[in-house]
Amino acid sequence: MKVFKFGGASVRNVSSFKNLVRILDKHQGEELFIVISAMGKMTNAFERLVVSYASKKDRVEEDYEFIKNYHTEIIEALFTNKDNAVFKDLDALFSSLRHKLSQQAASNYNYIYDSMVSYGELLSSTILSHYLNAHGYKNILVDARDIIRTDATYIEARVNWDQTPSRVKKAYRQVLAKGYRIAITQGFIGASEHNYTTTLGREGSDFTAAIIGYSLKAQEVVIWKDVDGVLNADPKQFEETIKIDHLTYSDAIELAYYGATVIHPKTIKPLENAGIPLRVKSFLNPESAGTCINKNNNVQNDTPCYIFKFNQILISIVPNDFSFIVEKNISSIFNALSKYNIKVNLMQNSALSFSICVDNGPLKAPQLINELNNEFRIFYNTSLTLVTVRNYNDEAIKKVCLNKEVLLEQKSRNTVQFVLR
Ligand code: ASP
Ligand code: MG
């Protein structure tokens, strides 16, 4: 069996639903577990709704209507048979969301977030399930909250690996026992031990697909995207990108670590552990092979890969008395970083200073600087770009550094990083 994950872009409008059916036409008779994201940019729309519900009540109505209209327009066009149960099921989902919105907001913002943003996937999966049933792909909709067990860390829930695989297996066994081959479930969402809805972090649907693939020892997991596969750079940054045909699991983990956004970083590990290949394929060009990520070390990827992180701040930390940087200093710097939950994108130390490059968020970076100011002298530059080049060569370096001032550079055998202004 295979796991297919369709992201928001593959179910963003009527023609994308039709396209999805054309993809399944090429996989007739196969056993599939389909993981689906919220439609289009609906997760962002739900995030706005949650903010309104929690703090700007007068906007709730407008945000809610926006979401409701978006889904309604699509199902009106997709389902010519107005007796299809999709209409009743969507009404039920919207009434329960409405009901939540009419309640007094709970004090735990992250809990509210998960209980509402998850509707994006509940809606999309319900629509897809009915749509596929109506087009000859008989399927069973499995509620992800029954199979993906997590802790109660709302917004960034951690998977309970003791319970989840057996639940996934049981659910799929039941699907097969009922004579169906296709199961559909929601990406991104799960439930805690006490059955409260949780989410796995933005872009978490890839991870859901990996969890299911791992649990069922799938033949492969396919992530269908609007790009041809894993590219060597973000097409928004570079005019000419190259599709990478093959990556090892560790290449893929490294790329995700440095900030490549094609695959959710947590996705790779479970697949690597179970030796399941991950394919990234284009839903617009399904015939093309896409990118295959597996453990095959024989094919070395030596294409330079570029990862850009914008809006960086480079902070140089110097002991107040201009003494050497010693372990004790480094330890207090790291305590401060961990206190404000700041991820270091790059660090470097010299005798007299310790430098870190981090995302310049409106909240965290000023807090960090404030705290470090007690013990150190702080110098910093903002509006910088951190560029990482994997498999670099001279030409690649020239390309990224052209007309730029290099504030910091770090090189290892495979990877070079520049902080640029
Ligand atoms: N819908 C969620 C998001 O947009 C999860 C996902 O699509 O992977 O972040
Ligand atoms: Mg999405």
Side-chain angles (χ1 to χ4, degrees), residues 380-391:
Y380 61 89
N381 289 97
T382 58
S383 305
L384 307 175
T385 302
L386 172 65
V387 186
T388 305
V389 189
R390 295 263 303 158
N391 312 320

Side-chain angles (χ1 to χ4, degrees), residues 4 13 32 57 70 88 126 139 157 161 193 199 201 223 236 300 356 359 375 396 405 410:
F4 279 6
N13 56 27
L32 297 175
K57 285 272 186 231
Y70 182 94
K88 180 176 76 27
T126 303
N139 66 85
W161 286 102
E193 193 192 340
T199 64
I223 297 184
K236 284 180 218 123
Q300 200 58 40
I356 52 172
D359 294 347
E375 214 177 314
E405 182 190 348
Q410 210 167 72

Side-chain angles (χ1 to χ4, degrees), residues 32-37 85-86 89-90 93 119-133 137-147 171-172 174-176 178 180-187 189 212:
L32 297 175
F33 210 121
I34 298 179
V35 176
I36 182 90
S37 296
V86 73
D89 287 355
L90 252 66
L93 283 169
Y119 274 76
E121 271 72 13
L122 295 176
L123 290 161
S124 63
S125 57
T126 303
I127 298 174
L128 183 67
S129 172
H130 285 297
Y131 187 67
L132 293 185
N133 272 328
Y137 292 99
K138 297 289 174 209
N139 66 85
I140 290 193
L141 180 58
V142 175
D143 192 321
R145 294 167 298 181
D146 293 333
I147 54 174
Y172 197 59
Q174 284 170 353
V175 169
L176 295 176
K178 286 184 189 145
Y180 292 79
R181 291 197 192 92
I182 303 177
I184 298 183
T185 197
Q186 306 84 17
I189 75 174
I212 292 176

Side-chain angles (χ1 to χ4, degrees), residues 115-306:
S115 78
M116 288 188 180
V117 173
S118 50
Y119 274 76
E121 271 72 13
L122 295 176
L123 290 161
S124 63
S125 57
T126 303
I127 298 174
L128 183 67
S129 172
H130 285 297
Y131 187 67
L132 293 185
N133 272 328
H135 285 79
Y137 292 99
K138 297 289 174 209
N139 66 85
I140 290 193
L141 180 58
V142 175
D143 192 321
R145 294 167 298 181
D146 293 333
I147 54 174
I148 309 291
R149 282 281 122 160
T150 70
D151 67 3
T153 317
Y154 299 108
I155 285 198
E156 202 78 47
R158 280 180 294 253
V159 171
N160 178 330
W161 286 102
D162 288 334
Q163 291 185 21
T164 300
S166 53
R167 284 175 172 263
V168 174
K169 270 186 247 166
K170 186 169 163 215
Y172 197 59
R173 260 203 313 271
Q174 284 170 353
V175 169
L176 295 176
K178 286 184 189 145
Y180 292 79
R181 291 197 192 92
I182 303 177
I184 298 183
T185 197
Q186 306 84 17
F188 175 58
I189 75 174
S192 67
E193 193 192 340
H194 300 293
N195 286 319
Y196 289 112
T197 304
T198 54
T199 64
L200 307 175
R202 284 301 306 261
E203 304 301 330
S205 297
D206 291 359
F207 185 36
T208 306
I211 298 167
I212 292 176
Y214 171 90
S215 305
L216 297 174
K217 306 276 171 281
Q219 184 188 334
E220 62 179 18
V221 172
V222 184
I223 297 184
W224 294 94
K225 295 191 73 95
D226 53 359
V227 286
D228 276 333
V230 176
L231 305 178
N232 75 325
D234 184 340
K236 284 180 218 123
Q237 256 48 265
F238 276 177
E239 267 174 29
E240 277 169 44
T241 54
I242 301 169
K243 191 204 71 170
I244 300 167
D245 296 331
H246 172 260
L247 285 169
T248 61
Y249 294 116
S250 42
D251 280 338
I253 289 173
E254 294 270 356
L255 287 178
Y257 171 80
Y258 289 115
T261 50
V262 258
I263 309 154
H264 190 279
K266 288 184 193 161
T267 307
I268 311 291
K269 208 62 205 163
L271 298 178
E272 177 173 21
N273 291 348
I276 297 168
L278 174 67
R279 272 180 208 285
V280 182
K281 285 177 64 114
S282 161
F283 60 75
L284 301 168
N285 187 12
E287 299 300 339
S288 133
T291 298
C292 179
I293 301 167
N294 62 16
K295 63 169 182 291
N296 185 354
N297 289 316
N298 301 332
V299 228
Q300 200 58 40
N301 165 45
D302 48 18
T303 315
C305 295
Y306 304 85

